[in-house]
């Protein structure tokens, strides 16, 4: 690598340089950023431990020699390895909340985090999610890095939160995040397949962002997505294998007034055709109108009874 640290002095210099390198290498994005400019800004700001949403105030700041070397190395790593920037910095964010990530887990980018913030941090409260003070039990199925379990512990202060994943490696990362956010007294980790480790338990809320990518889409993944654990994406031929299991089993694990919020990607039409008797409530997010659904325990129980 050519030493460019003598010529590049300010944060603006490294941002421009990174954008040029990223575009020339035809990198792919989608791990919290969607453009070369945004990805470069994230990599630079997070590497320098600066607020990731505040580029402008620091653009003309002169960097120390050690900071220049760090940024030059990380920009080169991003281009040559095509790993997501979050793996290079070791951090990812949901609505500004920081989480540890590494190659053992998918980089968190769930719509459910956005929904929790938008529903509970407004004056009217949520129109469909339960009153947070009345929630006593939550389970996060397919927890991965544990980010949604941690957010659940914060939004539902009176709740005990179970978090389940099939991957022992992912649970090790979740353990780090639970400790860093100091919610060990609320969150319990379980290794197993969906509801497998939870026999006999009932929950006021099921949160789940299961693998939901179909095989055709996985075959077309760019290298950045191939750097993540394949099992965190693989939802079967049409992407909905685990979603079907969740719908078929969830009623047995919900309290009568509870419900499930589930992210499914792009399978709305398939689900509505296969489950015409289920009353899905599709939750709108900043980027989608049908990637996440809410369904009540009552609706699931009625189907099971029928």
């Amino acid at each position: 690598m050519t030493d460019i640290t003598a010529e590049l002095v300010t944060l603006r210099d490294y941002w421009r340089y990174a954008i040029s390198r990223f575009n020339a290498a035809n990198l792919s994005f989608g791990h919290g950023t969607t453009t070369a400019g945004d990805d470069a800004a994230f990599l630079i700001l997070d590497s320098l431990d600066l607020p990731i949403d505040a580029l402008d105030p620091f653009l003309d700041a002169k960097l120390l020699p050690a900071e220049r070397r760090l940024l030059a190395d990380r920009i080169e790593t991003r281009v040559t390895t095509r790993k997501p920037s979050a793996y290079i910095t070791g951090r990812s964010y949901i609505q500004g909340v920081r989480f540890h990530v590494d190659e053992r887990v998918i980089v968190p980018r769930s719509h459910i985090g956005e929904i929790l913030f938008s529903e509970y941090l407004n004056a009217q409260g949520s129109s469909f999610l339960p009153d947070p003070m009345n929630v006593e039990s939550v389970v996060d199925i397919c927890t991965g890095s544990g980010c949604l379990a941690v957010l659940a512990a914060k939004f539902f202060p009176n709740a005990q939160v179970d978090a389940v994943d099939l991957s022992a490696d992912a649970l090790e990362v979740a353990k780090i995040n639970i400790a860093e956010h100091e919610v060990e007294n609320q969150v319990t980790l379980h290794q197993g397949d969906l509801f497998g480790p939870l026999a006999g338990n009932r929950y006021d809320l099921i949160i789940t962002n299961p693998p939901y990518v179909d095989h055709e889409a996985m075959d077309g993944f760019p290298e950045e997505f191939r750097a993540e654990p394949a099992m965190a994406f693989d939802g079967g031929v049409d992407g909905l294998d685990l979603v079907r299991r969740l719908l078929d089993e969830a009623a047995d694990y919900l309290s009568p007034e509870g419900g499930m919020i589930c992210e499914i990607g792009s399978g709305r039409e398939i689900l509505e055709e296969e489950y015409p008797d289920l009353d899905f409530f599709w939750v709108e997010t900043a980027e989608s109108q049908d990637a996440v659904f809410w369904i009540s325990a009552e609706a699931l129980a009625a189907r099971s009874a029928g």
Side-chain angles (χ1 to χ4, degrees), residues 138-139 141 195 203-208 250 253-254 259-261:
V138 178
V139 63
I141 300 291
F195 296 106
Y203 299 94
D204 298 323
L205 178 64
I206 296 171
I207 296 172
T208 181
Y253 296 90
L254 281 169
M260 177 170 70
I261 186 166

Side-chain angles (χ1 to χ4, degrees), residues 28-262:
S28 295
F29 311 105
H31 298 85
T33 63
T34 56
T35 67
D38 286 346
D39 201 67
F42 169 82
L43 180 62
I44 289 167
L45 291 169
D46 201 44
S47 293
L48 297 177
D49 208 20
L50 295 171
I52 60 168
D53 57 353
L55 178 64
D56 288 350
F58 305 106
L59 277 172
D60 296 312
K62 292 183 178 180
L63 302 176
L64 298 171
E67 293 174 326
R68 297 181 208 173
R69 288 192 296 272
L70 174 66
L71 294 185
D73 288 345
R74 288 190 169 181
I75 291 167
E76 189 69 15
T77 298
R78 178 71 177 92
V79 170
T80 56
T81 68
R82 300 185 72 101
K83 290 181 181 180
S85 289
Y87 284 162
I88 297 171
T89 69
R91 297 187 291 220
S92 185
Y93 297 78
I94 294 182
Q95 299 293 302
V97 181
R98 176 188 286 180
F99 296 97
H100 170 81
V101 294
D102 59 40
E103 285 88 343
R104 293 175 290 180
V105 294
I106 192 172
V107 177
R109 48 198 185 269
S110 173
H111 295 296
I112 295 176
E114 174 195 336
I115 291 167
L116 291 174
F117 276 84
S118 63
E119 288 295 313
Y120 285 132
L121 297 187
N122 70 75
Q124 291 75 35
S126 178
S127 60
F128 63 95
L129 291 173
D131 184 329
M133 302 309 292
N134 293 335
V135 174
E136 297 181 353
S137 55
V138 178
V139 63
D140 175 22
I141 300 291
C142 303
T143 193
S145 62
C147 56
L148 294 181
V150 168
L151 292 179
K154 293 178 180 291
F155 276 109
F156 307 109
N158 299 322
Q160 288 298 308
V161 180
D162 286 332
V164 182
D165 205 283
L166 189 58
S167 167
D169 285 342
L171 292 175
E172 288 300 314
V173 177
K175 189 182 300 183
I176 294 170
N177 284 314
I178 289 165
E180 287 187 351
H181 286 275
E182 300 180 340
V183 291
E184 300 99 322
N185 291 337
Q186 270 185 276
V187 182
T188 303
L189 298 174
H190 304 266
Q191 184 180 2
D193 184 19
L194 300 185
F195 296 106
L198 306 173
N201 292 2
R202 294 273 179 172
Y203 299 94
D204 298 323
L205 178 64
I206 296 171
I207 296 172
T208 181
N209 182 20
Y212 56 68
V213 181
D214 64 65
H215 286 173
E216 182 179 357
M218 288 186 68
D219 289 342
F221 269 178
E223 289 185 53
E224 283 83 351
F225 286 68
R226 293 182 184 276
E228 299 175 272
M231 69 179 294
F233 291 109
D234 190 353
V237 174
D238 67 359
L240 295 175
D241 285 359
L242 273 72
V243 177
R244 293 184 181 93
R245 288 182 55 199
L246 288 162
L247 286 170
D248 293 341
E249 298 172 20
D252 294 333
Y253 296 90
L254 281 169
S255 59
E257 302 301 319
M260 177 170 70
I261 186 166
C262 176

